[in-house]
Amino acid sequence: MEWLSSWYPQPGCPRPSVLICLLILTTSFLTYPTLRTIGLQLHSAITGSYVSGTHSVVFVNCPNEQIAKDIARAILDKKLAASVNILPKAASLYFWKGEIEEATEILLLIKTKTSKVFMLSSYVRLVHPFEIPEVFSLPMDQGDVQYLKWLEEGMEED
């Protein structure tokens, strides 16, 4: 009977089954993003639908419309994006060198592949007149499949 007592924990100790359940729950929680990504990619491959995060929208503020147009054209010429919207007159308030500044800026909404965001950001920093240009991106979660295919085609190298 002594061998039987070794299978059961002492009073006050959690049972092995509880520990296993906690381990499984913790592992599931920590691996969920990876499992979700793999699941979406498999679903996309089988059904031909969109993989979330493949494309991104990049936001860039410019000091005036001419600079915004110049940057937008250069980005498109270099195939760093497929589409750029120029939104006029965004009122901006921000801290700069310890002071609150206020400016009217032009906002670029740049649609690109997520894989091109780093190159796009680097290029914008080279050509932008601001000391520290505002460049950030958000991945697209969903979208019209035909539009996203059109984006892909717009960035294909010649």
Side-chain angles (χ1 to χ4, degrees):
M1 283 302 270
E2 282 185 34
W3 65 269
L4 187 59
S5 65
S6 66
W7 283 86
Y8 291 97
Q10 298 299 317
C13 292
R15 292 180 164 208
S17 59
V18 173
L19 293 175
I20 291 170
C21 287
L22 286 173
L23 179 63
I24 290 170
L25 284 172
T26 302
T27 304
S28 298
F29 179 75
L30 294 175
T31 60
Y32 174 75
T34 304
L35 295 174
R36 182 177 185 273
T37 300
I38 292 169
L40 286 171
Q41 288 174 342
L42 284 172
H43 181 266
S44 175
I46 293 168
T47 64
S49 64
Y50 179 65
V51 176
S52 179
T54 304
H55 296 90
S56 291
V57 178
V58 179
F59 296 79
V60 177
N61 274 352
C62 297
N64 62 53
E65 191 172 350
Q66 188 58 54
I67 289 172
K69 285 181 181 180
D70 292 345
I71 291 173
R73 284 189 185 280
I75 287 168
L76 293 171
D77 286 342
K78 294 193 173 300
K79 302 279 187 185
L80 293 172
S83 174
V84 180
N85 296 109
I86 300 173
L87 304 177
K89 297 188 180 178
S92 298
L93 292 136
Y94 54 92
F95 278 106
W96 182 249
K97 298 184 180 181
E99 299 291 324
I100 296 176
E101 299 288 331
E102 188 171 336
T104 300
E105 297 175 321
I106 309 299
L107 178 62
L108 299 179
L109 294 179
I110 305 165
K111 279 75 76 184
T112 189
K113 292 180 188 177
T114 302
S115 62
K116 291 192 176 208
V117 169
F118 179 77
M119 288 187 305
L120 175 65
S121 297
S122 297
Y123 181 73
V124 168
R125 278 194 304 277
L126 286 174
V127 299
H128 204 285
F130 288 167
E131 185 178 333
I132 304 173
E134 176 182 30
V135 181
F136 67 92
S137 68
L138 298 173
M140 292 183 194
D141 185 39
Q142 295 295 318
D144 179 77
V145 175
Q146 291 176 330
Y147 176 77
L148 297 169
K149 185 177 181 210
W150 173 81
L151 281 180
E152 286 285 330
E153 292 167 358
M155 288 178 277
E156 288 177 355
E157 301 297 325
D158 297 329

